[in-house]
Amino acid sequence: MSEPIRDFFRKRKIEKYSKGLPTGLVPMSDISTVNVIMDVEDVEWNALKEDILAWGKATGIKVEIYFFDFRKLGKDEILLTSIQTTVARKDLNWYDMPTYEKIAPMIEQESDLLISLIDNGDFPIEFISKCSTARFKIGRKAYQGHCYDMIISGRQNDGVSTCARDVFAGIMEFLEKIKK
C-alpha cells in the first residue's frame, strides 16, 4: 500500500518542478556551463572529482559538482564533501525527496550540460535529471520518460559495471566528437 502512495507523491513533485524544456545534443563549442552529479560512495570519487575539475579548466568550461552521499554515518564520521553541495541521507523525506534548498542549484541554475555519473535508479537522481533546466543531459541509468539525451551505461564485467572515471572519460571522448 505504501508503494503506490510514495509513487504518487514522487510523480507529483516531478510534475510540479519539471519545466518540460526541450533538450538535445549540444556541440562542445556551445557548452560553457556543466553541472555534474556524482556519488561519494564510488571508490574513486575523489580522483573523479579531480578529473572533472581538470577537464573544466582545460576546456574553459565552468563546472559545478554536486555530490550524493547516502552512507550511514557513525557518530564520529563526517561528510567528505561540502555540506552546501552534498545531498545526504538526512536531507531526504519519507518518499526520498531531497529538501528543495539542497537541490535548487542543481535544477534551477541554467546550464548547458548535466552529467549524472551515478549508476542507480534512486528517486533523487531521477528527480534532478527530469527537472534540470540543462539543454543537454547525459546519464548512466535510463528512467521512464526518457529524461536523458544520451545514456552511457558502461560495460558489465562479472556483474560489476564500469567505474565512473571510465564512464566520464568515455563521455568526454564522445563530446569531443560532436562538432557544430
Side-chain angles (χ1 to χ4, degrees), residues 17 27 29 45 53-54 56 72 78 87 92 106 117 123 144 179:
Y17 291 104
S29 59
W45 75 269
L53 293 173
K72 285 192 176 191
I78 58 172
V87 176
L92 304 178
M106 291 179 244
L117 293 170
F123 176 71
Q144 187 175 15
K179 301 294 181 198

Side-chain angles (χ1 to χ4, degrees), residues 95-146:
Y95 59 93
D96 294 333
M97 176 67 187
T99 57
Y100 192 75
E101 296 76 29
K102 281 286 186 178
I103 59 169
M106 291 179 244
I107 64 172
E108 289 181 356
Q109 176 186 14
E110 290 188 23
S111 66
D112 298 312
L113 176 62
L114 170 73
I115 301 173
S116 173
L117 293 170
I118 300 178
D119 189 21
N120 67 43
D122 291 347
F123 176 71
I125 308 305
E126 177 183 9
F127 178 83
I128 290 167
S129 300
K130 288 183 175 180
C131 297
S132 169
T133 59
R135 298 184 311 141
F136 180 19
K137 299 177 184 181
I138 301 172
R140 294 187 67 184
K141 181 81 172 172
Y143 295 105
Q144 187 175 15
H146 309 288

Side-chain angles (χ1 to χ4, degrees), residues 130-174:
K130 288 183 175 180
C131 297
S132 169
T133 59
R135 298 184 311 141
F136 180 19
K137 299 177 184 181
I138 301 172
R140 294 187 67 184
K141 181 81 172 172
Y143 295 105
Q144 187 175 15
H146 309 288
C147 62
Y148 294 122
D149 302 303
M150 184 170 79
I151 297 173
I152 307 287
S153 59
R155 288 179 262 119
Q156 291 281 332
N157 293 331
D158 299 325
V160 178
S161 65
T162 307
C163 76
R165 284 184 81 191
D166 291 341
V167 170
F168 179 73
I171 291 170
M172 296 308 102
E173 185 178 314
F174 182 82

Side-chain angles (χ1 to χ4, degrees), residues 3 6 9 12 34 36 55 57 61 74 76-77 79 98 106 111 117 121 124-125 129 132-133 146 171 174 176 180:
E3 289 288 318
R6 185 185 72 191
F9 280 99
R12 288 207 42 203
V34 177
V36 179
W55 170 77
K57 187 174 183 178
I61 294 173
D76 296 332
E77 288 184 282
L79 281 176
M106 291 179 244
S111 66
L117 293 170
I125 308 305
S129 300
S132 169
T133 59
H146 309 288
I171 291 170
F174 182 82
E176 290 298 325
K180 198 167 202 177

Side-chain angles (χ1 to χ4, degrees), residues 41 69-73 79 87-93:
E41 292 184 55
D69 190 351
F70 294 153
R71 299 172 297 140
K72 285 192 176 191
L73 298 176
L79 281 176
V87 176
R89 179 183 299 270
K90 68 180 174 108
D91 297 319
L92 304 178
N93 67 11

